[in-house]
Amino acid sequence: MSLAAEGAGRAGRANSAGPLRRFMRYPPAVLSLAVLAAVLAVAGFAQYVAPHDPFAIGLAAPRGMPTSANPLGVDSIGRDVLSRLLFGARASLLVGFGAVAIQALLGVVAGVLAGYFGGAVDTVLMRVADVILSFPLFVVVVAAVAIVGPSISNVILVVGFLGWPRMARIVRSQVLSLRNELFIEALGALGAGHRRILFKHILPNLVPTILITATFEVARAILLEASLSFLGMGVQPPIPSWGNILAEAQSLLVLQRMPWLWVPAGLALMVVILSVNFVGDGLRNALDPRHRS
Amino acid sequence: MSRLVFKRFVMLVPLLIGVSLFAFLLISTAPGDPVAALINPVDSSIDVTALEARRQALGLRDSLPVRYARWVGQLLTGNLGRSYATGRPVLGEMLNRVGATAQLAFMAVAVGLVIGVLAGAASALKRGTWVDTGITLLGFLVVATPPFFLGLALIFLLSLQLNLFPTGGMLTLGSGGGLGDRLSHLVMPAVVLALPFITEVTRYTRGGLIDVLKQDFIRTARGKGLRPRRVVMVHALRNALMPLVTITALALPTLLGGAIITETVFQWPGLGTLTIDAVHQRDYPVILAVTLFSALTVIAANLLADIAYSVVDPRVRYEP
């Protein structure tokens, strides 16, 4: 019921085109991909794009108004907000992709093993997944970060190691239905080993599912990092992150009188999360045959 | 029915053991212990052997399985230990706060259901028009909005600029807190907390209504000349809304996670702010208790969702 599915439904002939063509026919996803590429470039080349050093203190009077030198003003300890905003993209993307890389790796391995071999392996892995899924993700992530200490790498590890069960469940169900397909049964009868069946026939068929699920998880991880950093439990100052830039607005004075200090960071987060979700929507439309109306 | 529910309860036992073990192991990796929490770090005259004796007496030097068994034993009698920060029993601290969070969560559910059903129904009935597209787009936007950013933006716009609602807290201090005063404090945090829930309700209402409207009994209802409004409101919506029972039960735990952020932004004195205060003070007994409580809520909500659905929809027969 996504926009993409509706659009494809109306386009009619869209279903017969290849995945890439189908993706390209959904403008929001294409636009979003361009936005994400731009954000990635800014994050990668922040030191060339940013007008100032994001850590340099005392460039201008603290909490100063926006000027041509500091287009988004100066924060409470005299750092250029625009530069911090540009460097802040790094934290979001690092956590988003880093955490999801761990999630996907663990989730796919667990899901494939559980789905393909079944039996005790399946029972053990899925009971562990059930236990982790019994904790609301945000609550258990906050508790875990409180113990291991807040930092970018710890946030990546915690979100990665606590976030895999959903991927595992989705992959497992997909493997279960693949395993019952005639062609897998035939391969077994022809004497193909587990390794061959898994790597040459099961895994390639899982790629669309993994890609789509991982994309939406990236959006969630970015939101999670921002929330943690906002609470002071994520990326630690002086390293900038959109979440900890927004934390400045917990001062009523900044909130009321200096919207330029916090609104841009919030908008940046919205644009990135929105773009990732649109790309996910486009991927689902392009790759998932059941999703096309 | 009761036998099936009983079986479902029995199946919970291994899950509860797993959950308690996971929470216990997580917290047992934390640095420091209750004895270290009691001493004054600046005071150098403390006798190390006396501390060691205290640790022995409290059983902190016992092996992990022994400590787990003792902890579960205490848990079953309602003893959650004492807060490092205040020295008071954790259970009491939580009971003081749970009411405020429950109030917020129920209001959020109400807000989410009303807005979500209206938006979803509008979207389904005007399918393919700009209304539908607009609501779907708005859903994307809502999902992408960090709740703390929306909270700050609402405080900025509605409290500080327009002076419509208070910026935070549960009631105006010194006013005694009449119903109107409490409600005006509740509106903004409830909307922020309800945010992800609203879009979910909208999606399910839209999808459910579109499916139901295609069915034969709707054609029959139309065919026998019922007014279109009655067909939609009574015959279709009733069936389309059944999945919402499950969605609502399953949303409760997410609301608990969201409460951490929402309560911080609006200084709401509930479990969320208790959690964040505990995290900042490294008050591990409180962190452990809140984490465990949130997991129990999830498990209870899942159970409730299963049972409630089989009650609402007689076609569902629960087979374990």
Side-chain angles (χ1 to χ4, degrees):
Chain A
M1 164 197 351
S2 62
L3 284 179
E6 290 287 308
R10 248 173 278 136
R13 240 163 37 85
N15 292 354
S16 56
L20 187 65
R21 290 277 295 280
R22 276 198 301 270
F23 186 85
M24 298 305 281
R25 272 189 202 161
Y26 179 48
V30 179
L31 187 69
S32 299
L33 206 58
V35 169
L36 288 180
V39 175
L40 196 67
V42 164
F45 301 101
Q47 61 268 47
Y48 305 110
V49 188
H52 299 282
D53 178 351
F55 301 105
I57 298 173
L59 300 160
R63 296 185 176 178
M65 292 275 288
T67 59
S68 56
N70 309 103
L72 294 177
V74 179
D75 73 4
S76 300
I77 54 172
R79 296 172 299 200
D80 178 51
V81 175
L82 176 62
S83 304
R84 294 185 65 72
L85 195 69
L86 297 175
F87 273 89
R90 286 184 175 176
S92 287
L93 296 181
L94 268 176
V95 174
F97 289 101
V100 173
I102 298 176
Q103 276 182 20
L105 186 71
L106 294 174
V108 171
V109 170
V112 168
L113 290 180
Y116 187 76
F117 292 108
V121 181
D122 185 24
T123 311
V124 170
L125 286 172
M126 286 304 115
R127 288 301 83 80
V128 173
D130 285 347
V131 166
I132 297 179
L133 282 171
S134 295
F135 294 89
L137 187 61
F138 194 64
V139 177
V140 70
V141 163
V142 165
V145 171
I147 289 161
V148 298
S151 73
I152 291 197
S153 50
N154 281 351
V155 170
I156 292 175
L157 291 173
V158 164
V159 176
F161 279 95
L162 293 174
W164 62 269
R166 260 199 304 211
M167 176 70 91
R169 274 194 180 171
I170 294 169
V171 167
R172 175 180 174 271
S173 73
Q174 186 91 15
V175 172
L176 278 179
S177 69
L178 276 172
R179 213 180 54 163
N180 293 329
E181 296 271 342
L182 212 54
F183 80 97
I184 299 290
E185 209 178 309
L187 280 163
L190 287 171
H194 289 314
R195 180 192 300 240
R196 192 184 163 84
I197 295 179
L198 278 177
F199 284 93
K200 292 208 73 171
H201 301 282
I202 302 254
L203 266 181
N205 278 303
L206 294 175
V207 170
T209 311
I210 297 169
L211 211 59
I212 296 162
T213 311
T215 308
F216 289 115
E217 290 293 325
V218 168
R220 278 168 51 92
I222 290 175
L223 187 57
L224 213 59
E225 180 277 322
S227 307
L228 285 170
S229 299
F230 174 74
L231 294 171
M233 298 306 300
V235 177
Q236 294 296 292
I239 299 169
S241 129
W242 293 338
N244 69 29
I245 293 174
L246 269 153
E248 275 228 43
Q250 279 181 312
S251 139
L252 215 53
L253 182 73
V254 171
L255 182 62
Q256 185 165 21
R257 304 257 177 250
M258 290 154 230
W260 57 84
L261 289 185
W262 59 275
V263 173
L267 293 179
L269 270 171
M270 284 183 71
V271 168
V272 167
I273 296 171
L274 196 64
S275 303
V276 174
N277 281 334
F278 270 132
V279 169
D281 203 31
L283 281 176
R284 186 162 53 190
N285 183 54
L287 298 173
D288 185 353
R290 284 163 307 176
H291 200 71
R292 273 171 248 145
S293 37
Chain B
M1 179 78 192
S2 59
R3 244 189 77 215
L4 293 176
V5 173
F6 178 73
K7 267 190 178 167
R8 184 73 169 72
F9 268 102
V10 172
M11 280 158 59
L12 285 181
V13 174
L15 185 61
L16 288 172
I17 293 174
V19 162
S20 60
L21 199 60
F22 183 85
F24 179 78
L25 288 176
L26 185 72
I27 299 292
S28 67
T29 59
D33 62 38
V35 176
L38 289 174
I39 59 172
N40 177 358
V42 223
D43 186 359
S44 57
S45 68
I46 289 162
D47 182 3
V48 184
T49 50
L51 288 183
E52 189 52 38
R54 190 88 192 105
R55 289 196 169 101
Q56 299 272 7
L58 285 171
L60 294 171
R61 288 285 180 261
D62 293 342
S63 67
L64 219 53
V66 173
R67 272 156 55 206
Y68 172 70
R70 189 167 48 225
W71 175 69
V72 170
Q74 289 173 348
L75 210 61
L76 293 175
T77 62
N79 179 2
L80 295 174
R82 282 172 184 276
S83 157
Y84 287 179
T86 63
R88 285 199 291 266
V90 173
L91 186 65
E93 302 263 323
M94 285 182 64
L95 289 176
N96 281 340
R97 303 291 198 102
V98 78
T101 298
Q103 213 179 85
L104 189 58
F106 282 116
M107 191 66 173
V109 167
V111 167
L113 285 176
V114 171
I115 300 181
V117 167
L118 287 177
S123 209
L125 295 176
K126 304 273 178 193
R127 191 179 178 192
T129 65
W130 62 269
V131 177
D132 186 20
T133 313
I135 288 174
T136 310
L137 266 178
L138 209 60
F140 267 92
L141 211 60
V142 163
V143 169
T145 308
F148 52 94
F149 181 52
L150 180 77
L152 293 171
L154 287 180
I155 295 176
F156 176 70
L157 287 174
L158 303 183
S159 300
L160 300 174
Q161 306 294 326
L162 301 175
N163 224 344
L164 287 175
F165 297 105
T167 58
M170 278 183 86
L171 44 98
T172 310
L173 289 176
S175 75
L179 186 65
D181 182 50
R182 282 172 179 272
L183 276 178
S184 75
H185 281 81
L186 195 52
V187 173
M188 292 199 304
V191 168
V192 170
L193 186 58
L195 214 57
F197 183 54
I198 296 175
T199 45
E200 210 168 346
V201 173
T202 307
R203 264 206 338 255
Y204 276 91
T205 305
R206 180 182 183 275
L209 203 52
I210 286 174
D211 281 347
V212 169
L213 284 174
K214 284 182 200 150
Q215 290 184 15
D216 287 342
F217 74 93
I218 293 296
R219 199 179 322 147
T220 311
R222 287 210 170 109
K224 71 180 185 183
L226 288 185
R227 275 172 299 131
R229 173 180 300 202
R230 196 176 155 77
V231 173
V232 171
M233 296 311 265
V234 180
H235 295 246
L237 212 50
R238 197 185 203 176
N239 285 288
L241 295 186
M242 275 195 299
L244 293 189
V245 175
T246 315
I247 301 304
T248 307
L250 295 183
L252 290 176
T254 324
L255 293 177
L256 220 54
I260 295 183
I261 302 260
T262 311
E263 290 182 5
T264 304
V265 173
F266 292 99
Q267 295 136 43
W268 191 263
L271 286 176
T273 39
L274 180 73
T275 311
I276 281 306
D277 290 346
V279 162
H280 285 305
Q281 293 164 331
R282 312 236 148 192
D283 193 346
Y284 296 115
V286 175
I287 299 175
L288 176 57
V290 174
T291 312
L292 200 64
F293 174 78
S294 69
L296 293 182
T297 315
V298 173
I299 293 170
N302 286 341
L303 188 67
L304 195 72
D306 277 0
I307 296 173
Y309 201 77
S310 65
V311 171
V312 180
D313 189 343
R315 287 169 301 183
V316 174
R317 281 284 156 260
Y318 180 64
E319 309 266 344

